[in-house]
Amino acid sequence: MKTSKVLIAILSILIVGCMFTSCFGNTQENNQTTETQTEAQTKPKTATQAETTVATESATEVTLASNVIKTNLYNITVPLDWEDDYHYDITSGEKGGYAVNFYEEDLYEERIGGFLFGVDLIPDGSEIAYPSYKLLGTVEVDQKDKYSVVVYYATDVQFDEDSADDYFEMQKAEPEILESIKWNDNCKFTKNDTPQL
């Protein structure tokens, strides 16, 4: 009787130990998976990466190859000297369309902001709700869907004292980047010639 109680106690300890090890092992594995996923989500997209793909509703696939960001409607080129200094992301609109947003990488990583500008495709007839923007023109896709092409800007400070020079230097590249937009063959872009304030 005493022997069976000892055996039951030993078995119980072994079972609890195995359960603990199993749970602890899974927790470590889950933590490593979560850390890897978090790193992948927060890792900036830079011109030195060979290829990165981001899926959104409207921009079904966005790929960065060298310094060219390719969306399903257009390609946009960033300066080679930006290399590891920028981050971009894609946001999907509620009614279709999507925006490519550019940031100064260090400020973005430090959560100071770093937003430089964004290029948004807003479905025809939808309100342009940005407080600070410029209408570049309109684009018609497959002779049916029409979008306003808007570049928009931050309305609050996006840099700190130490990074102001780098931030403003990157902002100077905006006209060059906007001029680099190459529309796909199924897109007909009409430039806005109306002077804007």
Side-chain angles (χ1 to χ4, degrees):
M1 181 91 148
K2 198 172 188 182
T3 308
S4 50
K5 284 185 181 180
V6 170
L7 284 174
I8 291 174
I10 291 172
L11 284 175
S12 296
I13 291 171
L14 287 174
I15 290 172
V16 169
C18 288
M19 289 174 50
F20 178 77
T21 302
S22 175
C23 289
F24 180 75
N26 285 340
T27 302
Q28 271 189 322
E29 186 176 303
N30 288 340
N31 286 343
Q32 288 173 343
T33 301
T34 303
E35 287 172 15
T36 303
Q37 288 170 343
T38 303
E39 284 175 20
Q41 292 169 351
T42 60
K43 186 167 176 70
K45 295 154 185 78
T46 63
T48 57
Q49 288 178 295
E51 198 170 285
T52 300
T53 303
V54 177
T56 64
E57 287 176 25
S58 299
T60 52
E61 196 169 277
V62 179
T63 304
L64 176 66
S66 183
N67 65 323
V68 179
I69 299 169
K70 297 177 182 180
T71 74
N72 63 342
L73 297 180
Y74 65 89
N75 298 344
I76 189 167
T77 304
V78 296
L80 285 171
D81 63 350
W82 275 25
E83 202 159 332
D84 293 325
D85 296 333
Y86 80 100
H87 171 87
Y88 81 92
D89 65 18
I90 308 294
T91 55
S92 188
E94 292 177 20
K95 300 176 184 175
Y98 56 90
V100 179
N101 303 297
F102 295 93
Y103 303 84
E104 195 281 337
E105 181 186 357
D106 291 337
L107 294 170
Y108 178 84
E109 288 288 318
E110 295 167 15
R111 305 221 186 263
I112 294 171
F115 179 71
L116 296 162
F117 63 92
V119 179
D120 198 353
L121 301 179
I122 300 172
D124 193 36
S126 296
E127 179 183 359
I128 300 173
Y130 297 113
S132 179
Y133 72 92
K134 178 172 45 177
L135 178 64
L136 298 178
T138 57
V139 64
E140 188 175 8
V141 181
D142 295 325
Q143 299 181 347
K144 59 180 180 178
D145 298 324
K146 194 171 183 181
Y147 299 91
S148 295
V149 183
V150 173
V151 59
Y152 60 99
Y153 309 95
T155 55
D156 56 349
V157 176
Q158 294 288 311
F159 55 88
D160 59 14
E161 206 173 302
D162 297 332
S163 62
D165 291 341
D166 292 337
Y167 178 84
F168 287 121
E169 191 62 34
M170 289 182 78
Q171 263 193 336
K172 289 179 187 177
E174 176 211 327
E176 174 188 348
I177 293 169
L178 296 177
E179 284 296 318
S180 79
I181 295 174
K182 301 287 186 244
W183 296 94
N184 292 351
D185 291 339
N186 64 330
C187 299
K188 181 182 177 193
F189 177 71
T190 305
K191 187 174 182 175
N192 179 30
D193 292 326
T194 306
Q196 299 181 43
L197 300 175

